[in-house]
């Protein structure tokens, strides 16, 4: 199996993430047109239950496997990898069975009381089988990430999304004559089929891996080995696994819970501010359903960084190579800034035109402008958490996330209750939560890893972003041209100016580009040394 460099693995995941994002937009638009607002409402009501169940079942599994496999490989302790896979398999088998059974049994109660619409029962029952499928996939994902081979996971994402488009739309259309509740259920079943296809592909690639552990043989050997040394080794594997998996799972579970509680606090706060219930619901829908997805659209890029960083940092930490850890951290911050900063500027400058074009709601532009500047901290948050997890400090990342969630909730209550702020107070509170967590992650990291800020590169990047912003602002305010044409021209010219500045200031170097997978060597020929 080919082990990829940190940069190559990250860029492969970025490409796959971008493609799946675009495909996801396509199938969601088509599905909303097919089953209408009511069908999409039933679909979206059931979705948070799925997310919560998946988080409990497998949120920390890929991170734990990725970290432990990369450590074992770095220390030449390949014999530990089978035990890691077996432990993960047992944990996944138990948790997915329990959680799937609970969702299946309590689906009628959840639909009637929690979701307040009995028709969501069909969507809940349709989506329940996806829980064990995602849980099993997480084992293979973690294994390949630990081996620092991101291609199987990236390809599985694309295959899963392509299959999902056809199965979701086909089943929703087939069941629509029976009612929108059945159409929503069909869409959920289509998602299960897509996820199952992705899991089969990961299993196929695992079987083709020459370094994979033969689990059946190892399980038989394990049952026959009862000596004290093997028992201690297995016990250490179990404790190491849970030391990483539990904090990550708890952190994401708390995130899911705060996400579920947030609408309640927002609605109560806006009511105190004197805003009617129907209006507050519409405003929150604009913030969560329109502004936030657009502001955080580029986050798939830093998600790729997050996935690649855990094994890369774990490998360096296992070798006690502090220099390599610092270099990986420098690379992560540099990539996050170089990619995230222009996206932040573009969304800020084009906030109102984008809101008008995409949602026909110019007022959403104000929300986007409030949140756009802080999005850069959001892009850094995932990589910083991955560094802490790679350093075996997942408990610190969990603590920081809890502190940020509590602070966000407090500020929602303090700000959104002010009539002069209202929903803008919610946006500001979300910004404060993001800022606090990112800063806490960074302060935690520099306790363990030396880090020097490269002021020269920061100044060069600021000039590049400033030049891009000036061009985008000038072109974006030319109201005489058609809206779509104006936005496309602004994006193309803005990114063109930015890329020229990156090359002129040597923020993108020839050797950096040459390391890009597939096209790097060809593109590098056109760049100056």
């Amino acid at each position: 199996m080919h082990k990829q460099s940190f940069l190559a693995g990250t860029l492969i995941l970025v490409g796959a993430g971008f493609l799946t994002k675009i495909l996801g937009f396509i199938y969601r638009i088509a599905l909303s047109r097919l089953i209408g607002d009511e069908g999409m409402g039933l679909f979206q009501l059931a979705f948070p239950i799925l997310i919560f169940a998946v988080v409990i079942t497998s949120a920390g599994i890929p991170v734990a496997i990725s970290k432990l496999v990369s450590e074992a490989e770095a220390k030449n302790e390949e014999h530990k990898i089978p035990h890691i896979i077996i432990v993960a398999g047992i944990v996944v088998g138990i948790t997915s069975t329990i959680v799937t059974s609970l969702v299946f049994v309590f689906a009628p109660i959840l639909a009637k009381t929690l979701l307040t619409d009995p028709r969501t029962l069909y969507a809940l029952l349709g989506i329940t089988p996806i829980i064990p499928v995602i849980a099993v996939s997480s084992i293979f994902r973690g294994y390949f990430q630990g081996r620092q081979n991101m291609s199987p996971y990236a390809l599985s994402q694309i295959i899963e999304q392509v299959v999902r488009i056809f199965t979701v739309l086909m089943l929703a259309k087939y069941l629509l004559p029976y009612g929108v509740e059945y159409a929503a259920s069909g869409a959920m079943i289509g998602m299960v089929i897509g996820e199952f296809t992705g899991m089969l592909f990961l299993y196929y690639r695992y079987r083709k891996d020459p370094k994979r552990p033969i689990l059946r043989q190892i399980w038989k050997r394990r049952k026959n080995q009862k000596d004290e040394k093997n028992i201690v080794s297995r016990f250490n594997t179990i404790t190491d696994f849970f030391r990483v998996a539990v904090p990550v799972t708890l952190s994401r579970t708390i995130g899911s819970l705060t996400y579920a509680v947030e609408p309640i606090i927002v609605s109560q706060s806006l009511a105190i501010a004197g805003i009617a219930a129907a209006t507050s619901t519409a405003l929150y829908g604009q913030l969560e359903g329109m502004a936030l997805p657009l502001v955080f659209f580029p986050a798939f890029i830093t998600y790729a960084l997050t996935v690649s960083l855990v094994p890369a940092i774990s490998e360096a930490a296992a070798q006690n190579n502090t220099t390599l850890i610092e270099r990986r951290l420098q690379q992560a911050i540099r990539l996050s800034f170089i990619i995230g900063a222009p996206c932040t500027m573009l969304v800020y400058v084009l906030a109102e035109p984008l809101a008008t074009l995409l949602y026909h709601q110019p007022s959403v532009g104000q929300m986007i402008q409030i949140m756009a500047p802080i999005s850069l901290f959001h892009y850094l948050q995932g990589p910083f958490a991955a560094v802490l997890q790679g350093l075996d400090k997942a408990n610190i990342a969990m603590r920081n996330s809890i502190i940020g969630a509590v602070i966000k909730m407090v500020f929602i209550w303090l700000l959104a209750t002010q009539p002069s702020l209202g929903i803008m107070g919610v946006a500001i509170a979300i910004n404060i939560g993001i800022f606090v967590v990112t800063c806490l992650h960074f302060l935690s990291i520099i306790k363990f890893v030396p880090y020097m800020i490269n002021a020269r590169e920061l100044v060069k990047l600021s000039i590049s972003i400033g030049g891009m912003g000036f061009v985008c602002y000038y072109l974006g305010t030319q109201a005489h041209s058609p809206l779509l044409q104006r936005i496309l021209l602004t994006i193309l010219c803005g990114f063109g100016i930015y890329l020229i500045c990156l090359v002129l200031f040597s923020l993108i170097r020839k050797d950096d580009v040459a390391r890009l997978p597939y096209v790097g060597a060809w593109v590098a020929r056109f760049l100056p040394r």
Side-chain angles (χ1 to χ4, degrees), residues 138-430:
S138 70
I139 298 175
F140 298 122
R141 277 176 48 202
Y143 172 77
F144 285 116
Q145 289 163 14
R147 293 288 195 187
Q148 296 186 52
N149 179 14
M150 305 301 168
S151 297
Y153 174 43
L155 288 170
S156 73
Q157 282 185 298
I158 296 169
I159 291 168
E160 174 195 321
Q161 194 72 290
V162 169
V163 172
R164 183 184 294 174
I165 288 174
F166 289 104
T167 53
V168 164
L169 297 177
M170 182 180 69
L171 288 171
K173 185 177 181 180
Y174 177 75
L175 293 173
L176 185 59
Y178 300 96
V180 288
E181 62 270 35
Y182 292 100
S185 174
M188 291 296 194
I189 295 168
M191 289 184 66
V192 175
I193 296 170
E195 192 73 42
F196 184 72
T197 307
M199 185 200 76
L200 288 179
F201 176 78
L202 284 172
Y203 176 69
Y204 168 76
R205 290 297 297 265
Y206 177 79
R207 296 273 301 186
K208 289 289 182 182
D209 175 22
K211 296 177 74 175
R212 72 181 173 91
I214 311 298
L215 298 181
R216 189 179 300 172
Q217 295 175 6
I218 290 160
W219 181 258
K220 288 179 183 177
R221 201 184 311 146
R222 184 183 175 196
K223 287 166 68 176
N224 295 329
Q225 291 174 335
K226 301 293 184 184
D227 58 278
E228 188 177 338
K229 185 179 177 182
N230 278 293
I231 292 170
V232 170
S233 174
R234 291 166 196 161
F235 179 76
N236 289 339
T237 300
I238 293 169
T239 53
D240 288 344
F241 182 86
F242 281 106
R243 191 178 67 249
V244 180
V246 170
V248 175
T249 302
L250 284 175
S251 179
R252 294 183 184 175
T253 301
I254 291 163
S256 298
L257 283 173
T258 55
Y259 181 68
V261 171
E262 185 182 300
I264 300 169
I265 297 176
V266 169
S267 59
Q268 294 296 323
S269 301
L270 294 178
I272 292 171
I275 298 171
T279 306
S280 69
T281 302
L283 288 171
Y284 188 66
Q286 288 178 1
L287 178 64
E288 286 287 338
M290 299 179 187
L292 280 177
L294 185 59
V295 169
F296 296 148
F297 177 80
F300 73 89
I301 297 167
T302 48
Y303 171 74
L305 264 176
T306 301
V307 171
S308 299
L309 265 174
V310 173
I313 295 292
S314 300
E315 180 185 47
Q319 297 168 344
N320 293 317
N321 192 338
T322 307
T323 305
L324 182 58
I325 294 173
E326 185 187 3
R327 196 169 84 218
R328 294 283 187 245
L329 178 60
Q330 290 274 11
Q331 284 178 314
I333 293 174
R334 187 165 172 264
L335 279 170
S336 296
F337 272 122
I338 286 176
I339 296 170
C343 296
T344 299
M345 176 61 76
L346 197 65
V347 170
Y348 179 81
V349 172
L350 293 177
E352 189 174 322
L354 284 171
T356 304
L357 177 69
L358 297 175
Y359 308 122
H360 304 294
Q361 296 273 5
S363 59
V364 175
Q366 190 179 353
M367 298 179 190
I368 293 170
Q369 282 195 320
I370 287 174
M371 302 205 68
I374 213 71
S375 63
L376 195 56
F377 288 89
H378 178 72
Y379 303 146
L380 288 166
Q381 190 177 120
F384 284 169
V387 171
L388 287 170
Q389 290 159 6
L391 292 171
D392 206 11
K393 306 296 178 185
N395 57 327
I396 295 176
M398 178 187 71
R399 181 199 66 194
N400 296 342
S401 298
I402 293 170
I403 292 170
V406 171
I407 288 173
K408 180 181 76 170
M409 291 302 177
V410 170
F411 272 96
I412 287 176
W413 184 261
L414 291 174
L415 299 177
T417 52
Q418 304 299 315
S420 59
L421 290 174
I423 195 67
M424 298 305 170
V426 179
I428 295 167
I430 293 171

Side-chain angles (χ1 to χ4, degrees), residues 10-33:
T10 300
L11 290 170
I12 286 170
L13 289 174
V14 166
F18 178 74
L19 187 56
T20 52
K21 274 272 188 183
I22 298 299
L23 291 173
F25 271 122
I26 291 170
Y27 101 79
R28 283 207 167 242
I29 291 168
L31 182 63
S32 63
R33 291 180 179 178

